[in-house]
């Protein structure tokens, strides 16, 4: 009998029921570049197509992940932040935000947000908090800040009257200008008190030679609805930090941002082609 028949209540939808394996998705493609196993043929084909035109894309993905870890380390250790809102979480891997933060301050509280059902299916790995702290996962989209800010799990986990670090690492370049990512970021920051922080990274073509830049932009546009990357300039990326006090060493390649303790030699800014920065809300 159909579950749509009168009097029959449909069962809960499992996250895997929403997964379209025929279409590349950023979180799964990123997982592929990082050497993970939670990806499908479409993700690998999309990832390989981009790697053909930008051969160091895997280095970029790894360096972006290291930037996240260093940024969280700075925020927890030096800035004293104990609450994190991590949007565009991606598939869990080593040293997720709460693991880095809670190693420094076990009482840290982290809310993860992503709209990929495969991330939701793995969310249990993101909820292994220390006893002193807390973690939560919200199935939502950066483009719907109201849903995020008013979600009961966020309200139970984070006190919005106390400083919060908003983590937007390798997510903003998936939001086209037509969806006004600047407005979404402003709305989120407006909800956070003074002393909060924004940590963000963003793909760019500006470090590349002109011909390579054109090829990279063509590859970034070739991934279908879930694969398009909106490469932005330094000025465009800096716009997300409007009204904030950018911390040292400023907005620069993620390969260079507080990377003194990373293994040497460092990859070049051309190989990484990703800006990163951290800023404080006054």
């Amino acid at each position: 009998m159909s579950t749509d028949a009168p009097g029959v209540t449909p069962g809960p939808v499992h996250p895997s029921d929403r997964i379209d394996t025929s279409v590349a998705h950023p979180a799964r493609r990123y997982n592929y570049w990082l050497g993970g196993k939670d990806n499908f043929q479409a993700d690998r084909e999309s990832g390989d197509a981009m790697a053909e035109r930008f051969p160091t894309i895997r280095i970029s993905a790894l360096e972006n992940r290291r930037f996240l870890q260093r940024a969280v380390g700075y925020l927890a250790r030096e800035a004293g932040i104990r609450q994190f809102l991590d949007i565009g979480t991606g598939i869990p891997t080593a040293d997720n935000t709460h693991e880095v933060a809670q190693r420094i301050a076990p009482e840290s509280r982290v809310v993860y947000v992503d709209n990929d059902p495969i991330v939701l299916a793995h969310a249990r790995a993101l909820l292994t908090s220390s006893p002193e702290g807390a973690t939560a996962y919200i199935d939502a989209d950066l483009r719907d800040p109201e849903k995020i800010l008013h979600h009961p799990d966020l309200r139970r986990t984070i006190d919005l009257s106390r400083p919060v670090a908003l983590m937007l690492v390798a997510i903003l370049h998936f939001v086209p200008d037509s969806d006004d990512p600047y407005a979404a970021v402003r709305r989120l920051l407006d909800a956070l008190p003074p002393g909060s922080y924004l940590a963000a990274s963003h793909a760019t073509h500006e470090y590349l030679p002109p011909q390579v830049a054109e090829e990279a932009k063509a590859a970034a546009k070739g991934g279908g609805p879930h694969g398009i990357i909106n490469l932005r300039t330094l000025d465009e990326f800096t716009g997300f930090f409007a009204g904030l006090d950018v911390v040292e060493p400023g907005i620069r390649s993620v390969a260079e941002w507080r990377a003194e303790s990373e293994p040497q030699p460092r990859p070049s800014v051309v190989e990484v082609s990703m800006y990163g920065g951290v800023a404080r809300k006054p």
Side-chain angles (χ1 to χ4, degrees):
M1 181 172 63
S2 168
T3 56
D4 294 327
V8 177
T9 303
V13 176
H14 191 273
S16 62
D17 294 337
R18 290 169 42 203
I19 296 172
D20 184 351
T21 63
S22 67
V23 178
H25 197 284
R28 302 194 303 259
R29 187 175 55 222
Y30 191 65
N31 174 264
Y32 171 57
W33 287 330
L34 290 175
K37 298 185 178 2
D38 296 301
N39 49 76
F40 300 101
Q41 186 66 27
D43 308 305
R44 295 188 285 273
E45 290 176 354
S46 173
D48 289 342
M50 294 180 70
E52 283 181 12
R53 298 190 180 185
F54 183 40
T56 58
I57 190 73
R58 289 176 176 84
I59 294 174
S60 181
L62 289 166
E63 286 301 315
N64 185 73
R65 187 72 187 176
R66 290 183 176 126
F67 165 78
L68 178 143
Q69 293 157 1
R70 295 196 304 274
V72 173
Y74 163 79
L75 291 163
R77 185 178 294 109
E78 299 183 44
I81 294 295
R82 298 294 179 262
Q83 302 188 113
F84 296 81
L85 176 56
D86 185 337
I87 302 178
T89 302
I91 296 168
T93 183
D95 285 337
N96 300 294
T97 295
H98 75 282
E99 293 167 321
V100 176
Q102 291 180 351
R103 275 201 299 270
I104 297 166
E107 69 274 22
S108 297
R109 307 174 75 83
V110 179
V111 172
Y112 292 106
V113 181
D114 206 293
N115 67 342
D116 185 348
I118 200 168
V119 180
L120 176 59
H122 288 266
R124 191 172 289 110
L126 297 170
L127 304 177
T128 55
S129 173
S130 66
E132 303 93 332
T135 59
Y137 179 87
I138 297 173
D139 181 20
D141 193 303
L142 169 62
R143 292 167 291 191
D144 189 358
E146 299 303 329
K147 178 179 180 180
I148 295 169
L149 292 169
H150 293 98
H151 198 285
D153 288 345
L154 181 140
R155 297 289 176 155
R156 277 193 292 265
T157 308
I158 286 180
D159 179 357
L160 292 180
S161 70
R162 296 173 53 236
V164 177
L166 174 61
M167 310 294 298
L168 298 176
V169 176
I171 180 64
L172 293 166
H173 49 234
F174 292 114
V175 184
D177 288 342
S178 58
D179 285 340
D180 201 350
Y182 297 95
V185 174
R186 281 196 303 272
R187 176 65 186 99
L188 291 164
L189 287 170
D190 285 348
L192 306 181
S196 294
Y197 283 79
L198 169 63
S201 64
H202 199 297
T204 184
H205 60 277
E206 287 193 307
Y207 289 119
L208 304 175
Q211 181 178 350
V212 179
E214 289 305 313
E215 291 179 354
K217 285 190 283 186
K221 295 291 184 184
H226 294 290
I228 293 174
I229 297 176
N230 302 273
L231 302 174
R232 292 189 172 98
T233 65
L234 177 60
D235 285 346
E236 290 170 331
F237 178 53
T238 301
F240 290 108
F241 295 86
L244 306 180
D245 298 329
V246 178
V247 305
E248 293 296 332
I251 297 173
R252 57 198 307 168
S253 169
V254 296
E256 299 175 333
W257 195 89
R258 293 181 178 256
E260 297 80 10
S261 62
E262 293 283 5
Q264 303 294 326
R266 304 293 299 129
S268 71
V269 296
V270 174
E271 290 174 304
V272 177
S273 289
M274 184 90 66
Y275 288 123
V278 176
R280 183 180 186 273
K281 180 177 179 179

PDB file of all heavy atoms in Angstrom, residues 236-258:
ATOM      1  N   GLU A 236      36.761  42.135  -3.672  1.00  0.00           N
ATOM      2  CA  GLU A 236      35.438  41.532  -3.467  1.00  0.00           C
ATOM      3  C   GLU A 236      35.407  40.707  -2.187  1.00  0.00           C
ATOM      4  O   GLU A 236      34.427  40.748  -1.432  1.00  0.00           O
ATOM      5  CB  GLU A 236      35.078  40.672  -4.677  1.00  0.00           C
ATOM      6  CG  GLU A 236      34.781  41.486  -5.930  1.00  0.00           C
ATOM      7  CD  GLU A 236      34.671  40.646  -7.177  1.00  0.00           C
ATOM      8  OE1 GLU A 236      35.321  39.570  -7.249  1.00  0.00           O
ATOM      9  OE2 GLU A 236      33.951  41.057  -8.107  1.00  0.00           O
ATOM     10  N   PHE A 237      36.467  39.962  -1.926  1.00  0.00           N
ATOM     11  CA  PHE A 237      36.516  39.168  -0.698  1.00  0.00           C
ATOM     12  C   PHE A 237      36.591  40.072   0.527  1.00  0.00           C
ATOM     13  O   PHE A 237      35.918  39.836   1.541  1.00  0.00           O
ATOM     14  CB  PHE A 237      37.716  38.221  -0.739  1.00  0.00           C
ATOM     15  CG  PHE A 237      37.879  37.382   0.505  1.00  0.00           C
ATOM     16  CD1 PHE A 237      36.835  36.615   1.005  1.00  0.00           C
ATOM     17  CD2 PHE A 237      39.097  37.353   1.188  1.00  0.00           C
ATOM     18  CE1 PHE A 237      36.993  35.832   2.151  1.00  0.00           C
ATOM     19  CE2 PHE A 237      39.260  36.575   2.322  1.00  0.00           C
ATOM     20  CZ  PHE A 237      38.201  35.823   2.804  1.00  0.00           C
ATOM     21  N   THR A 238      37.372  41.138   0.437  1.00  0.00           N
ATOM     22  CA  THR A 238      37.494  42.071   1.551  1.00  0.00           C
ATOM     23  C   THR A 238      36.148  42.679   1.921  1.00  0.00           C
ATOM     24  O   THR A 238      35.906  43.032   3.082  1.00  0.00           O
ATOM     25  CB  THR A 238      38.511  43.180   1.196  1.00  0.00           C
ATOM     26  OG1 THR A 238      39.777  42.577   0.913  1.00  0.00           O
ATOM     27  CG2 THR A 238      38.684  44.167   2.333  1.00  0.00           C
ATOM     28  N   GLY A 239      35.249  42.770   0.949  1.00  0.00           N
ATOM     29  CA  GLY A 239      33.922  43.312   1.214  1.00  0.00           C
ATOM     30  C   GLY A 239      33.158  42.553   2.289  1.00  0.00           C
ATOM     31  O   GLY A 239      32.300  43.127   2.967  1.00  0.00           O
ATOM     32  N   PHE A 240      33.451  41.271   2.459  1.00  0.00           N
ATOM     33  CA  PHE A 240      32.769  40.497   3.496  1.00  0.00           C
ATOM     34  C   PHE A 240      33.190  40.944   4.906  1.00  0.00           C
ATOM     35  O   PHE A 240      32.498  40.652   5.876  1.00  0.00           O
ATOM     36  CB  PHE A 240      33.050  38.998   3.318  1.00  0.00           C
ATOM     37  CG  PHE A 240      32.397  38.401   2.111  1.00  0.00           C
ATOM     38  CD1 PHE A 240      33.150  38.030   0.995  1.00  0.00           C
ATOM     39  CD2 PHE A 240      31.026  38.210   2.067  1.00  0.00           C
ATOM     40  CE1 PHE A 240      32.544  37.476  -0.123  1.00  0.00           C
ATOM     41  CE2 PHE A 240      30.410  37.652   0.944  1.00  0.00           C
ATOM     42  CZ  PHE A 240      31.173  37.291  -0.153  1.00  0.00           C
ATOM     43  N   PHE A 241      34.320  41.626   5.010  1.00  0.00           N
ATOM     44  CA  PHE A 241      34.850  42.049   6.303  1.00  0.00           C
ATOM     45  C   PHE A 241      34.540  43.515   6.600  1.00  0.00           C
ATOM     46  O   PHE A 241      35.107  44.091   7.532  1.00  0.00           O
ATOM     47  CB  PHE A 241      36.367  41.831   6.341  1.00  0.00           C
ATOM     48  CG  PHE A 241      36.787  40.393   6.257  1.00  0.00           C
ATOM     49  CD1 PHE A 241      36.954  39.775   5.021  1.00  0.00           C
ATOM     50  CD2 PHE A 241      37.014  39.640   7.398  1.00  0.00           C
ATOM     51  CE1 PHE A 241      37.352  38.445   4.929  1.00  0.00           C
ATOM     52  CE2 PHE A 241      37.396  38.309   7.319  1.00  0.00           C
ATOM     53  CZ  PHE A 241      37.566  37.711   6.085  1.00  0.00           C
ATOM     54  N   ALA A 242      33.650  44.108   5.838  1.00  0.00           N
ATOM     55  CA  ALA A 242      33.326  45.530   6.018  1.00  0.00           C
ATOM     56  C   ALA A 242      32.870  45.796   7.446  1.00  0.00           C
ATOM     57  O   ALA A 242      32.025  45.077   7.995  1.00  0.00           O
ATOM     58  CB  ALA A 242      32.238  45.943   5.030  1.00  0.00           C
ATOM     59  N   GLY A 243      33.438  46.833   8.057  1.00  0.00           N
ATOM     60  CA  GLY A 243      33.062  47.214   9.415  1.00  0.00           C
ATOM     61  C   GLY A 243      33.749  46.431  10.511  1.00  0.00           C
ATOM     62  O   GLY A 243      33.519  46.692  11.696  1.00  0.00           O
ATOM     63  N   LEU A 244      34.607  45.473  10.139  1.00  0.00           N
ATOM     64  CA  LEU A 244      35.316  44.651  11.120  1.00  0.00           C
ATOM     65  C   LEU A 244      36.776  45.073  11.202  1.00  0.00           C
ATOM     66  O   LEU A 244      37.316  45.685  10.281  1.00  0.00           O
ATOM     67  CB  LEU A 244      35.222  43.164  10.743  1.00  0.00           C
ATOM     68  CG  LEU A 244      33.819  42.590  10.506  1.00  0.00           C
ATOM     69  CD1 LEU A 244      33.930  41.115  10.136  1.00  0.00           C
ATOM     70  CD2 LEU A 244      32.939  42.771  11.737  1.00  0.00           C
ATOM     71  N   ASP A 245      37.414  44.724  12.302  1.00  0.00           N
ATOM     72  CA  ASP A 245      38.841  44.987  12.481  1.00  0.00           C
ATOM     73  C   ASP A 245      39.625  43.729  12.124  1.00  0.00           C
ATOM     74  O   ASP A 245      39.588  42.735  12.867  1.00  0.00           O
ATOM     75  CB  ASP A 245      39.129  45.385  13.928  1.00  0.00           C
ATOM     76  CG  ASP A 245      38.414  46.676  14.336  1.00  0.00           C
ATOM     77  OD1 ASP A 245      38.223  47.535  13.456  1.00  0.00           O
ATOM     78  OD2 ASP A 245      38.034  46.804  15.519  1.00  0.00           O
ATOM     79  N   VAL A 246      40.300  43.756  10.980  1.00  0.00           N
ATOM     80  CA  VAL A 246      41.035  42.592  10.505  1.00  0.00           C
ATOM     81  C   VAL A 246      42.283  42.391  11.381  1.00  0.00           C
ATOM     82  O   VAL A 246      43.029  43.338  11.639  1.00  0.00           O
ATOM     83  CB  VAL A 246      41.435  42.752   9.030  1.00  0.00           C
ATOM     84  CG1 VAL A 246      42.243  41.552   8.554  1.00  0.00           C
ATOM     85  CG2 VAL A 246      40.187  42.925   8.164  1.00  0.00           C
ATOM     86  N   VAL A 247      42.491  41.158  11.829  1.00  0.00           N
ATOM     87  CA  VAL A 247      43.640  40.864  12.684  1.00  0.00           C
ATOM     88  C   VAL A 247      44.857  40.541  11.815  1.00  0.00           C
ATOM     89  O   VAL A 247      44.738  40.171  10.644  1.00  0.00           O
ATOM     90  CB  VAL A 247      43.340  39.703  13.659  1.00  0.00           C
ATOM     91  CG1 VAL A 247      42.084  39.994  14.482  1.00  0.00           C
ATOM     92  CG2 VAL A 247      43.174  38.383  12.908  1.00  0.00           C
ATOM     93  N   GLU A 248      46.029  40.687  12.424  1.00  0.00           N
ATOM     94  CA  GLU A 248      47.275  40.369  11.715  1.00  0.00           C
ATOM     95  C   GLU A 248      47.325  38.894  11.357  1.00  0.00           C
ATOM     96  O   GLU A 248      46.844  38.067  12.117  1.00  0.00           O
ATOM     97  CB  GLU A 248      48.469  40.745  12.585  1.00  0.00           C
ATOM     98  CG  GLU A 248      48.626  42.244  12.804  1.00  0.00           C
ATOM     99  CD  GLU A 248      48.923  42.992  11.521  1.00  0.00           C
ATOM    100  OE1 GLU A 248      49.516  42.385  10.596  1.00  0.00           O
ATOM    101  OE2 GLU A 248      48.541  44.163  11.424  1.00  0.00           O
ATOM    102  N   PRO A 249      47.872  38.531  10.206  1.00  0.00           N
ATOM    103  CA  PRO A 249      48.615  39.359   9.250  1.00  0.00           C
ATOM    104  C   PRO A 249      47.755  39.934   8.131  1.00  0.00           C
ATOM    105  O   PRO A 249      48.253  40.157   7.026  1.00  0.00           O
ATOM    106  CB  PRO A 249      49.626  38.365   8.696  1.00  0.00           C
ATOM    107  CG  PRO A 249      48.868  37.070   8.668  1.00  0.00           C
ATOM    108  CD  PRO A 249      47.970  37.093   9.873  1.00  0.00           C
ATOM    109  N   GLY A 250      46.489  40.150   8.373  1.00  0.00           N
ATOM    110  CA  GLY A 250      45.615  40.711   7.352  1.00  0.00           C
ATOM    111  C   GLY A 250      45.015  39.648   6.457  1.00  0.00           C
ATOM    112  O   GLY A 250      45.076  38.451   6.738  1.00  0.00           O
ATOM    113  N   ILE A 251      44.407  40.093   5.377  1.00  0.00           N
ATOM    114  CA  ILE A 251      43.792  39.184   4.402  1.00  0.00           C
ATOM    115  C   ILE A 251      44.850  38.840   3.361  1.00  0.00           C
ATOM    116  O   ILE A 251      45.370  39.709   2.677  1.00  0.00           O
ATOM    117  CB  ILE A 251      42.558  39.831   3.759  1.00  0.00           C
ATOM    118  CG1 ILE A 251      41.498  40.104   4.837  1.00  0.00           C
ATOM    119  CG2 ILE A 251      41.995  38.929   2.668  1.00  0.00           C
ATOM    120  CD1 ILE A 251      40.309  40.884   4.326  1.00  0.00           C
ATOM    121  N   ARG A 252      45.136  37.560   3.260  1.00  0.00           N
ATOM    122  CA  ARG A 252      46.203  37.119   2.356  1.00  0.00           C
ATOM    123  C   ARG A 252      45.986  35.663   1.996  1.00  0.00           C
ATOM    124  O   ARG A 252      44.988  35.064   2.389  1.00  0.00           O
ATOM    125  CB  ARG A 252      47.565  37.308   3.029  1.00  0.00           C
ATOM    126  CG  ARG A 252      47.702  36.588   4.362  1.00  0.00           C
ATOM    127  CD  ARG A 252      48.865  37.146   5.172  1.00  0.00           C
ATOM    128  NE  ARG A 252      50.102  37.155   4.383  1.00  0.00           N
ATOM    129  CZ  ARG A 252      51.208  37.795   4.754  1.00  0.00           C
ATOM    130  NH1 ARG A 252      51.234  38.482   5.871  1.00  0.00           N
ATOM    131  NH2 ARG A 252      52.289  37.760   4.007  1.00  0.00           N
ATOM    132  N   SER A 253      46.903  35.087   1.249  1.00  0.00           N
ATOM    133  CA  SER A 253      46.774  33.676   0.877  1.00  0.00           C
ATOM    134  C   SER A 253      46.676  32.805   2.126  1.00  0.00           C
ATOM    135  O   SER A 253      47.381  33.032   3.116  1.00  0.00           O
ATOM    136  CB  SER A 253      47.993  33.239   0.058  1.00  0.00           C
ATOM    137  OG  SER A 253      48.005  31.833  -0.104  1.00  0.00           O
ATOM    138  N   VAL A 254      45.799  31.803   2.076  1.00  0.00           N
ATOM    139  CA  VAL A 254      45.698  30.887   3.218  1.00  0.00           C
ATOM    140  C   VAL A 254      47.010  30.143   3.449  1.00  0.00           C
ATOM    141  O   VAL A 254      47.270  29.667   4.555  1.00  0.00           O
ATOM    142  CB  VAL A 254      44.541  29.882   3.051  1.00  0.00           C
ATOM    143  CG1 VAL A 254      43.195  30.600   3.022  1.00  0.00           C
ATOM    144  CG2 VAL A 254      44.719  29.022   1.800  1.00  0.00           C
ATOM    145  N   ALA A 255      47.847  30.048   2.398  1.00  0.00           N
ATOM    146  CA  ALA A 255      49.142  29.381   2.562  1.00  0.00           C
ATOM    147  C   ALA A 255      50.074  30.186   3.459  1.00  0.00           C
ATOM    148  O   ALA A 255      51.019  29.636   4.029  1.00  0.00           O
ATOM    149  CB  ALA A 255      49.797  29.162   1.198  1.00  0.00           C
ATOM    150  N   GLU A 256      49.802  31.490   3.607  1.00  0.00           N
ATOM    151  CA  GLU A 256      50.679  32.384   4.354  1.00  0.00           C
ATOM    152  C   GLU A 256      50.114  32.801   5.704  1.00  0.00           C
ATOM    153  O   GLU A 256      50.857  33.283   6.555  1.00  0.00           O
ATOM    154  CB  GLU A 256      50.956  33.651   3.529  1.00  0.00           C
ATOM    155  CG  GLU A 256      51.648  33.396   2.209  1.00  0.00           C
ATOM    156  CD  GLU A 256      51.793  34.651   1.378  1.00  0.00           C
ATOM    157  OE1 GLU A 256      50.964  35.584   1.537  1.00  0.00           O
ATOM    158  OE2 GLU A 256      52.729  34.713   0.572  1.00  0.00           O
ATOM    159  N   TRP A 257      48.808  32.632   5.910  1.00  0.00           N
ATOM    160  CA  TRP A 257      48.170  33.171   7.106  1.00  0.00           C
ATOM    161  C   TRP A 257      48.629  32.412   8.358  1.00  0.00           C
ATOM    162  O   TRP A 257      48.269  31.257   8.544  1.00  0.00           O
ATOM    163  CB  TRP A 257      46.651  33.113   6.977  1.00  0.00           C
ATOM    164  CG  TRP A 257      45.928  33.965   7.989  1.00  0.00           C
ATOM    165  CD1 TRP A 257      45.574  35.264   7.854  1.00  0.00           C
ATOM    166  CD2 TRP A 257      45.494  33.546   9.285  1.00  0.00           C
ATOM    167  NE1 TRP A 257      44.949  35.702   8.994  1.00  0.00           N
ATOM    168  CE2 TRP A 257      44.887  34.669   9.889  1.00  0.00           C
ATOM    169  CE3 TRP A 257      45.577  32.349   9.991  1.00  0.00           C
ATOM    170  CZ2 TRP A 257      44.344  34.625  11.173  1.00  0.00           C
ATOM    171  CZ3 TRP A 257      45.051  32.302  11.276  1.00  0.00           C
ATOM    172  CH2 TRP A 257      44.438  33.424  11.855  1.00  0.00           C
ATOM    173  N   ARG A 258      49.449  33.064   9.188  1.00  0.00           N
ATOM    174  CA  ARG A 258      49.953  32.491  10.444  1.00  0.00           C
ATOM    175  C   ARG A 258      50.464  31.062  10.242  1.00  0.00           C
ATOM    176  O   ARG A 258      50.170  30.153  11.042  1.00  0.00           O
ATOM    177  CB  ARG A 258      48.871  32.541  11.530  1.00  0.00           C
ATOM    178  CG  ARG A 258      48.529  33.966  11.941  1.00  0.00           C
ATOM    179  CD  ARG A 258      47.475  34.028  13.023  1.00  0.00           C
ATOM    180  NE  ARG A 258      47.232  35.415  13.405  1.00  0.00           N
ATOM    181  CZ  ARG A 258      47.682  35.992  14.526  1.00  0.00           C
ATOM    182  NH1 ARG A 258      48.384  35.289  15.394  1.00  0.00           N
ATOM    183  NH2 ARG A 258      47.415  37.261  14.778  1.00  0.00           N
TER     184      ARG A 258
END
